[in-house]
Protein backbone atom coordinates (compact mmCIF):
# COMPACT_ATOMS: atom_id res chain seq x y z
CA UNK A 1 0.00 0.00 0.00
CA UNK A 2 1.25 3.50 -0.84
CA UNK A 3 2.31 5.45 2.25
CA UNK A 4 1.66 9.18 2.47
CA UNK A 5 4.15 11.53 4.06
CA UNK A 6 2.23 14.11 6.05
CA UNK A 7 3.43 17.68 6.05
CA UNK A 8 3.35 18.37 9.78
CA UNK A 9 3.14 22.00 10.77
CA UNK A 10 5.66 23.12 13.38
CA UNK A 11 3.11 24.22 15.96
CA UNK A 12 2.27 21.56 18.52
CA UNK A 13 -1.33 22.70 18.91
CA UNK A 14 -1.89 21.92 15.22
CA UNK A 15 -0.67 18.36 15.70
CA UNK A 16 -2.71 17.93 18.86
CA UNK A 17 -5.90 18.98 17.10
CA UNK A 18 -5.39 16.26 14.49
CA UNK A 19 -4.42 13.71 17.12
CA UNK A 20 -7.48 14.37 19.29
CA UNK A 21 -9.64 13.51 16.31
CA UNK A 22 -7.96 10.11 16.22
CA UNK A 23 -7.69 9.42 19.93
CA UNK A 24 -11.05 10.23 21.48
CA UNK A 25 -10.99 11.47 25.07
CA UNK A 26 -14.46 10.37 25.94
CA UNK A 27 -16.10 11.85 22.90
CA UNK A 28 -15.53 15.37 24.18
CA UNK A 29 -14.35 16.50 20.77
CA UNK A 30 -16.75 14.47 18.67
CA UNK A 31 -18.77 16.17 15.97
CA UNK A 32 -20.78 14.63 13.17
CA UNK A 33 -20.01 15.35 9.54
CA UNK A 34 -21.07 13.53 6.37
CA UNK A 35 -18.63 11.25 4.61
CA UNK A 36 -16.53 12.68 1.80
CA UNK A 37 -15.14 11.03 -1.28
CA UNK A 38 -11.38 10.65 -0.90
CA UNK A 39 -9.12 11.70 -3.75
CA UNK A 40 -6.54 9.16 -2.64
CA UNK A 41 -6.08 5.81 -4.32
CA UNK A 42 -8.01 2.89 -2.82
CA UNK A 43 -6.36 0.76 -0.21
CA UNK A 44 -6.12 -3.02 -0.02
CA UNK A 45 -8.08 -2.82 3.25
CA UNK A 46 -11.82 -2.63 2.56
CA UNK A 47 -12.31 -1.59 6.19
CA UNK A 48 -9.62 1.05 6.91
CA UNK A 49 -8.65 0.06 10.46
CA UNK A 50 -9.87 -3.38 11.45
CA UNK A 51 -8.01 -6.27 13.09
CA UNK A 52 -8.87 -9.86 13.97
CA UNK A 53 -7.73 -10.74 17.49
CA UNK A 54 -7.37 -14.41 18.40
CA UNK A 55 -6.66 -15.58 21.93
CA UNK A 56 -4.11 -18.36 22.64
CA UNK A 57 -6.97 -20.87 22.93
CA UNK A 58 -8.54 -19.82 19.62
CA UNK A 59 -11.29 -17.40 20.71
CA UNK A 60 -11.84 -14.71 18.09
CA UNK A 61 -12.73 -11.04 18.55
CA UNK A 62 -12.24 -7.86 16.51
CA UNK A 63 -10.55 -4.52 17.14
CA UNK A 64 -11.42 -1.38 15.18
CA UNK A 65 -9.64 1.97 15.02
CA UNK A 66 -12.04 4.90 14.71
CA UNK A 67 -11.86 8.57 13.86
CA UNK A 68 -13.99 10.91 15.95
CA UNK A 69 -15.69 12.89 13.21
CA UNK A 70 -15.76 13.41 9.41
CA UNK A 71 -16.13 9.71 8.54
CA UNK A 72 -19.29 7.66 9.04
CA UNK A 73 -19.46 4.18 10.53
CA UNK A 74 -20.83 2.73 7.29
CA UNK A 75 -17.77 4.04 5.45
CA UNK A 76 -15.32 2.74 8.05
CA UNK A 77 -17.07 -0.60 8.53
CA UNK A 78 -18.69 -1.55 5.20
CA UNK A 79 -20.35 -4.85 4.39
CA UNK A 80 -19.53 -7.62 5.02
CA UNK A 81 -17.41 -6.34 7.93
CA UNK A 82 -20.40 -4.63 9.54
CA UNK A 83 -21.67 -8.08 10.54
CA UNK A 84 -18.78 -8.30 13.00
CA UNK A 85 -20.45 -5.54 15.03
CA UNK A 86 -24.03 -6.71 14.64
CA UNK A 87 -23.20 -10.30 15.69
CA UNK A 88 -20.68 -9.57 18.45
CA UNK A 89 -21.50 -10.99 21.87
CA UNK A 90 -20.01 -7.93 23.59
CA UNK A 91 -19.19 -4.39 22.46
CA UNK A 92 -16.50 -2.23 24.05
CA UNK A 93 -15.75 1.47 23.44
CA UNK A 94 -13.44 4.05 24.96
CA UNK A 95 -16.13 5.50 27.21
CA UNK A 96 -19.84 6.29 27.35
CA UNK A 97 -20.15 10.01 26.55
CA UNK A 98 -23.95 9.87 26.58
CA UNK A 99 -24.25 8.37 30.05
CA UNK A 100 -25.79 11.04 32.35
CA UNK A 101 -23.86 9.93 35.43
CA UNK A 102 -20.58 9.79 33.52
CA UNK A 103 -21.18 13.22 32.00
CA UNK A 104 -22.08 14.73 35.37
CA UNK A 105 -19.02 13.27 37.08
CA UNK A 106 -16.65 14.41 34.34
CA UNK A 107 -18.28 17.82 34.07
CA UNK A 108 -17.95 18.34 37.80
CA UNK A 109 -14.21 17.65 37.58
CA UNK A 110 -13.72 19.67 34.42
CA UNK A 111 -15.61 22.73 35.62
CA UNK A 112 -14.49 22.65 39.25
CA UNK A 113 -13.55 26.22 40.24
CA UNK A 114 -9.83 26.82 40.47
CA UNK A 115 -8.36 28.31 43.62
CA UNK A 116 -6.49 30.76 41.39
CA UNK A 117 -8.03 32.61 38.41
CA UNK A 118 -6.63 31.49 35.07
CA UNK A 119 -5.66 35.05 34.20
CA UNK A 120 -3.36 35.05 37.24
CA UNK A 121 -1.70 31.89 35.94
CA UNK A 122 -1.37 32.94 32.29
CA UNK A 123 -1.19 36.71 32.42
CA UNK A 124 -3.57 39.29 31.00
CA UNK A 125 -2.17 39.28 27.45
CA UNK A 126 -2.52 35.52 27.07
CA UNK A 127 -6.02 35.60 28.55
CA UNK A 128 -7.05 38.29 26.07
CA UNK A 129 -5.67 36.14 23.25
CA UNK A 130 -7.65 33.08 24.33
CA UNK A 131 -10.87 35.04 24.69
CA UNK A 132 -10.39 36.57 21.24
CA UNK A 133 -9.73 33.22 19.62
CA UNK A 134 -12.53 31.33 21.41
CA UNK A 135 -15.34 33.91 21.79
CA UNK A 136 -18.00 31.21 22.14
CA UNK A 137 -16.69 30.18 25.56
CA UNK A 138 -17.52 32.80 28.23
CA UNK A 139 -14.49 34.51 29.70
CA UNK A 140 -15.76 34.24 33.26
CA UNK A 141 -16.11 30.46 32.93
CA UNK A 142 -12.68 30.15 31.34
CA UNK A 143 -11.09 32.24 34.07
CA UNK A 144 -12.50 29.88 36.72
CA UNK A 145 -10.89 26.74 35.26
CA UNK A 146 -7.70 24.94 36.16
CA UNK A 147 -5.11 25.08 33.33
CA UNK A 148 -5.67 21.40 32.41
CA UNK A 149 -9.42 21.90 32.16
CA UNK A 150 -9.10 25.12 30.16
CA UNK A 151 -6.77 23.42 27.69
CA UNK A 152 -9.03 20.38 27.36
CA UNK A 153 -12.09 22.56 26.70
CA UNK A 154 -10.37 24.82 24.18
CA UNK A 155 -8.66 21.97 22.37
CA UNK A 156 -12.03 20.21 22.04
CA UNK A 157 -13.61 23.39 20.68
CA UNK A 158 -10.77 23.74 18.20
CA UNK A 159 -11.24 20.18 16.96
CA UNK A 160 -14.92 20.88 16.28
CA UNK A 161 -14.03 24.12 14.47
CA UNK A 162 -11.45 22.35 12.33
CA UNK A 163 -13.83 19.54 11.39
CA UNK A 164 -16.41 22.15 10.39
CA UNK A 165 -13.77 23.92 8.27
CA UNK A 166 -12.86 20.62 6.67
CA UNK A 167 -16.51 20.02 5.80
CA UNK A 168 -16.81 23.46 4.20
CA UNK A 169 -13.58 23.04 2.22
CA UNK A 170 -14.72 19.71 0.83
CA UNK A 171 -18.21 20.94 -0.04
CA UNK A 172 -20.08 19.15 2.73
CA UNK A 173 -23.12 20.63 4.41
CA UNK A 174 -22.27 20.06 8.05
CA UNK A 175 -25.64 21.37 9.19
CA UNK A 176 -27.37 18.59 7.25
CA UNK A 177 -25.51 15.85 9.10
CA UNK A 178 -28.01 14.26 11.43
CA UNK A 179 -26.54 10.80 11.83
CA UNK A 180 -24.46 10.11 14.94
CA UNK A 181 -20.68 10.09 14.77
CA UNK A 182 -18.89 6.78 14.34
CA UNK A 183 -18.35 6.04 18.03
CA UNK A 184 -21.87 7.01 19.01
CA UNK A 185 -23.28 4.94 16.15
CA UNK A 186 -21.49 1.89 17.54
CA UNK A 187 -22.92 2.58 20.99
CA UNK A 188 -26.44 3.07 19.62
CA UNK A 189 -26.32 -0.06 17.47
CA UNK A 190 -25.22 -2.09 20.47
CA UNK A 191 -28.01 -0.74 22.65
CA UNK A 192 -30.57 -1.36 19.91
CA UNK A 193 -29.64 -5.04 20.17
CA UNK A 194 -30.22 -4.92 23.94
CA UNK A 195 -26.47 -5.37 24.33
CA UNK A 196 -25.17 -2.64 26.65
CA UNK A 197 -21.77 -1.37 25.46
CA UNK A 198 -18.93 -1.53 27.96
CA UNK A 199 -16.50 1.38 28.49
CA UNK A 200 -12.76 0.74 28.67
CA UNK A 201 -12.39 3.80 30.87
CA UNK A 202 -14.56 5.89 33.13
CA UNK A 203 -14.62 9.60 32.37
CA UNK A 204 -13.38 10.24 35.89
CA UNK A 205 -10.36 8.05 35.07
CA UNK A 206 -9.78 10.27 32.05
CA UNK A 207 -9.92 13.31 34.31
CA UNK A 208 -7.40 11.68 36.67
CA UNK A 209 -4.99 11.12 33.78
CA UNK A 210 -5.12 14.66 32.45
CA UNK A 211 -5.12 16.31 35.85
CA UNK A 212 -1.94 14.40 36.63
CA UNK A 213 0.08 16.14 33.90
CA UNK A 214 2.37 18.97 35.04
CA UNK A 215 0.28 22.14 34.83
CA UNK A 216 3.24 23.95 33.27
CA UNK A 217 2.64 21.89 30.12
CA UNK A 218 -0.92 23.16 29.87
CA UNK A 219 0.16 26.73 30.52
CA UNK A 220 2.64 26.50 27.65
CA UNK A 221 0.02 25.06 25.31
CA UNK A 222 -2.53 27.71 26.26
CA UNK A 223 0.01 30.43 25.50
CA UNK A 224 0.51 28.86 22.07
CA UNK A 225 -3.24 28.83 21.47
CA UNK A 226 -3.46 32.50 22.44
CA UNK A 227 -0.61 33.59 20.17
CA UNK A 228 -1.61 31.61 17.06
CA UNK A 229 -4.20 32.95 14.66
CA UNK A 230 -6.24 30.78 12.34
CA UNK A 231 -4.29 31.93 9.27
CA UNK A 232 -1.03 30.43 10.53
CA UNK A 233 -2.56 27.57 12.47
CA UNK A 234 -2.71 24.96 9.71
CA UNK A 235 -5.00 22.67 11.70
CA UNK A 236 -7.63 22.37 8.96
CA UNK A 237 -5.03 21.26 6.43
CA UNK A 238 -3.55 18.82 8.91
CA UNK A 239 -6.95 17.39 9.75
CA UNK A 240 -7.78 17.00 6.06
CA UNK A 241 -4.62 14.96 5.59
CA UNK A 242 -5.50 12.78 8.57
CA UNK A 243 -9.06 12.18 7.34
CA UNK A 244 -7.73 11.11 3.94
CA UNK A 245 -5.10 8.91 5.60
CA UNK A 246 -7.82 7.28 7.70
CA UNK A 247 -10.04 6.58 4.72
CA UNK A 248 -7.05 5.09 2.90
CA UNK A 249 -6.27 2.82 5.85
CA UNK A 250 -2.78 4.32 6.02
CA UNK A 251 -1.48 3.18 9.40
CA UNK A 252 1.98 4.56 8.62
CA UNK A 253 0.56 8.08 8.27
CA UNK A 254 -1.17 7.77 11.63
CA UNK A 255 2.10 6.53 13.13
CA UNK A 256 3.87 9.61 11.72
CA UNK A 257 1.56 11.87 13.69
CA UNK A 258 1.99 9.83 16.84
CA UNK A 259 5.79 9.90 16.44
CA UNK A 260 5.80 13.63 15.78
CA UNK A 261 4.00 14.30 19.05
CA UNK A 262 6.14 11.86 20.99
CA UNK A 263 9.29 13.90 20.37
CA UNK A 264 10.13 16.91 22.47
CA UNK A 265 9.62 17.27 26.19
CA UNK A 266 6.42 19.32 26.18
CA UNK A 267 4.53 17.41 23.50
CA UNK A 268 5.57 14.05 24.92
CA UNK A 269 4.25 15.19 28.31
CA UNK A 270 0.80 15.57 26.79
CA UNK A 271 1.10 12.68 24.35
CA UNK A 272 1.73 10.11 27.06
CA UNK A 273 -1.58 10.58 28.91
CA UNK A 274 -3.55 11.09 25.69
CA UNK A 275 -2.37 7.87 24.06
CA UNK A 276 0.16 5.75 25.91
CA UNK A 277 -1.16 5.98 29.47
CA UNK A 278 -4.67 5.22 28.30
CA UNK A 279 -3.38 2.26 26.26
CA UNK A 280 -1.78 0.81 29.38
CA UNK A 281 -4.98 1.38 31.34
CA UNK A 282 -7.02 -0.40 28.68
CA UNK A 283 -4.54 -3.29 28.57
CA UNK A 284 -5.48 -4.07 32.17
CA UNK A 285 -8.96 -4.87 30.79
CA UNK A 286 -8.56 -5.97 27.17
CA UNK A 287 -6.89 -9.38 27.74
CA UNK A 288 -9.90 -10.67 29.70
CA UNK A 289 -12.23 -9.34 26.98
CA UNK A 290 -10.31 -11.00 24.14
CA UNK A 291 -9.78 -14.23 26.10
CA UNK A 292 -13.57 -14.51 26.39
CA UNK A 293 -13.98 -14.03 22.63
CA UNK A 294 -16.81 -12.70 20.50
CA UNK A 295 -15.99 -9.07 21.34
CA UNK A 296 -16.03 -5.99 19.11
CA UNK A 297 -13.73 -3.28 20.49
CA UNK A 298 -13.64 0.22 18.96
CA UNK A 299 -11.15 2.92 19.99
CA UNK A 300 -9.37 5.81 18.26
CA UNK A 301 -7.03 4.80 15.44
CA UNK A 302 -4.12 6.69 17.02
CA UNK A 303 -4.08 4.06 19.78
CA UNK A 304 -3.04 1.34 17.31
CA UNK A 305 0.51 1.99 16.00
CA UNK A 306 3.89 1.99 17.71
CA UNK A 307 5.64 -0.18 20.30
CA UNK A 308 3.19 0.96 22.99
CA UNK A 309 0.18 0.81 20.67
CA UNK A 310 -2.59 -1.67 21.28
CA UNK A 311 -1.62 -3.92 18.36
CA UNK A 312 1.95 -4.40 19.65
CA UNK A 313 0.84 -4.77 23.26
CA UNK A 314 -1.78 -7.38 22.41
CA UNK A 315 0.75 -9.38 20.41
CA UNK A 316 3.20 -9.19 23.30
CA UNK A 317 0.42 -10.52 25.56
CA UNK A 318 0.09 -13.62 23.40
CA UNK A 319 -2.75 -12.70 21.06
CA UNK A 320 -2.60 -13.23 17.30
CA UNK A 321 -3.52 -9.84 15.78
CA UNK A 322 -4.18 -9.79 12.03
CA UNK A 323 -5.13 -6.79 9.94
CA UNK A 324 -8.21 -7.36 7.79
Amino acid sequence: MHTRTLAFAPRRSTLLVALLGLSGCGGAATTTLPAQTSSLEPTEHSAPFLWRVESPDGRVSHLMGTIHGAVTLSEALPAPHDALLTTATSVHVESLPDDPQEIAAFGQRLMAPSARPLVAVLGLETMHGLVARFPSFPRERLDALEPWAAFFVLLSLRVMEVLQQHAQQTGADAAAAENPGMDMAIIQQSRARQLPPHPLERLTELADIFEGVDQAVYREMLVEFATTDDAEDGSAEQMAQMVDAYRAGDLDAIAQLVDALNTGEATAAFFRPLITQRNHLWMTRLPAIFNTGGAFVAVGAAHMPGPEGLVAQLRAAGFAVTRL
Side-chain angles (χ1 to χ4, degrees), residues 166-250:
H166 173 68
Q168 293 171 2
Q169 291 171 1
T170 53
D173 182 4
E178 298 179 355
N179 294 325
M182 187 185 303
D183 303 270
M184 188 55 63
I186 291 171
I187 291 173
Q188 291 179 357
Q189 283 194 24
S190 179
R191 287 180 175 150
R193 295 175 54 209
Q194 304 299 312
L195 188 68
H198 301 283
L200 291 175
E201 67 188 8
R202 297 292 180 187
L203 292 182
T204 50
E205 291 177 315
L206 184 66
D208 289 339
I209 287 173
F210 284 104
E211 196 169 1
V213 176
D214 189 334
Q215 295 297 288
V217 172
Y218 294 118
R219 289 197 297 270
E220 189 173 341
M221 295 294 187
L222 287 166
V223 169
E224 186 170 298
F225 263 142
T227 57
T228 305
D229 60 32
D230 290 347
E232 63 178 349
D233 178 279
S235 292
E237 292 79 7
Q238 190 69 68
M239 183 63 78
Q241 290 184 63
M242 294 311 302
V243 170
D244 276 349
Y246 180 87
R247 287 200 179 98
D250 195 338

Side-chain angles (χ1 to χ4, degrees), residues 95-145:
S95 58
L96 299 177
D98 64 338
D99 184 287
Q101 291 184 333
E102 288 281 289
I103 293 171
F106 184 72
Q108 186 175 18
R109 291 282 295 279
L110 192 69
M111 296 299 173
S114 173
R116 188 182 181 197
L118 190 63
V119 65
V121 176
L122 301 177
L124 191 58
E125 183 177 355
T126 297
M127 193 68 178
H128 282 326
L130 291 175
V131 172
R133 194 169 187 206
F134 298 95
S136 64
F137 196 80
R139 175 176 181 143
E140 60 274 13
R141 292 179 64 192
L142 183 64
D143 198 29
L145 298 180

